[in-house]
Amino acid sequence: MTSFRAAIHVRPGSRHEAVGGRAAGSRPDDAPVLDVRVRARPVDGAATAAAERAIADALGLRPRQVRVVRGATTRNKLVEISDPPADLARRWDELLDR
């Protein structure tokens, strides 16, 4: 089984849900960090679960394919996508460039 891992920054309690763009504070020499805005509050893992679902929707994946593997209680997280499609890197880059 192959997987894809990348960094995200979650903004819980946002007015609108959105996935795209580079998170504020990402330096050009650092690996890009995807900005993820969710309405859910950071209570009992609700914002983390909402971020997983939002990323799956934005990439056209099944929700079970996207999991936070590090940073469950922080805004900076590492997600893992299992069984990624062949064009996942392109899809991810398109989200970063939004």
Side-chain angles (χ1 to χ4, degrees):
M1 177 189 298
T2 62
S3 64
F4 174 90
R5 286 186 174 198
I8 65 170
H9 179 81
V10 177
R11 291 200 254 170
S14 294
R15 183 175 291 206
H16 303 285
E17 292 204 358
V19 177
R22 295 170 192 264
S26 295
R27 295 187 313 220
D29 56 330
D30 289 342
V33 176
L34 183 66
D35 193 30
V36 180
R37 293 175 214 93
V38 295
R39 290 182 179 173
R41 295 284 183 193
V43 178
D44 296 328
T48 297
E52 290 171 341
R53 286 189 305 272
I55 291 168
D57 286 345
L59 292 170
L61 303 173
R62 293 175 300 228
R64 68 179 181 163
Q65 287 180 269
V66 181
R67 291 288 166 247
V68 169
V69 294
R70 187 172 58 212
T73 60
T74 67
R75 292 178 186 219
N76 295 313
K77 302 175 185 301
L78 182 67
V79 294
E80 180 177 78
I81 298 171
S82 60
D83 298 321
D87 66 340
L88 182 63
R90 179 191 55 78
R91 293 183 201 184
W92 192 266
D93 287 342
E94 286 175 0
L95 288 177
L96 284 168
D97 290 338
R98 280 190 185 172

